[in-house]
Amino acid sequence: MAQNGGEAELRAWYQAISPLRVDLVGDFAGKELFAIHGDSLCFIVSPKRGSTSPLLHAIHAVESFLARLEQRGCNFHILWFRDHEHLCVPEGVSGDAASNCLRLSRIILIKHLEHYAQYSQAGWRPYLAQNAVQFFLCLDGCALDGCASPTGVQYLEFIHHIAFHGYSVALMNSLDFVSSKVLVSAFSPSSCGNEIRIEKPRPSPRTQILAVSELELDLGLEPGSWSPWADGKPLSVKDAISFTALCNMLLVNSKRGIRACAAAYVLHLSALRHCSLSQRSCMVTTRHA
């Protein structure tokens, strides 16, 4: 596939920079505020090209990562951008089921991580006007097919865009926790040069879905008047999104295997709702021959 001039410039720029290995806490930011690119967190969930992860694993992986930052005194916000949603679907993921699974995980993560002083918006200028951010922690894109994929190039464009506007960048995929330190490769905005723009990909077509409220009306139920849980509590946002996905999936395919998967997922949601993380582990049994 031929690459346009902007992509070639981005790759040349990335090859030319020389990030320094620093300790985020001791050398770089201390207790100062920095911003984490939300969609880069999805790389922690699915680091392998084309992979998807169960929701429980996704939440645990991200929570563990953020908790380790907090334990070392890091002060951060998480930024999600509406026009970056497609970045959570790595190149090579095909089919509506896999890509929608990743998008669903992203939406649930956004809601689940609200307690981390998160901001969700299409633009970043209003946020930056109100918050003194020292740097951005992002994925550099080259962890995805060595910058060869369209998704990798878009990550590269984002970190270049940040640097062009005067912010240092720390590369998430180089981050290591060593004792009380958070070691990461980082570079200053002075290395960005001129602004580089690339052609944005066209959004992929979406399958039409029905909201839970529409399905409730079809069954003669008043929207929001029922609950699948024994305590009768209403659906949370996470539950509503999950049940919307399950219902629409079953409308397309209600074979026995799909119904069994849907039932297992409802049990999974119930475990998330009623059990703390420490209570979700399974007892390990060992058989002796």
Side-chain angles (χ1 to χ4, degrees), residues 180-224:
S180 61
K181 297 181 178 181
V182 184
L183 299 180
V184 69
S185 297
F187 61 90
S188 68
S190 61
S191 62
C192 75
N194 298 322
E195 186 171 17
I196 301 174
R197 295 190 178 276
I198 61 172
E199 183 179 349
K200 301 294 183 183
R202 293 182 179 180
S204 56
R206 298 291 186 84
T207 302
Q208 185 67 30
I209 62 172
L210 296 174
V212 167
S213 57
E214 296 179 63
L215 299 171
E216 289 173 332
L217 289 172
D218 288 343
L219 294 172
L221 299 171
E222 183 180 348

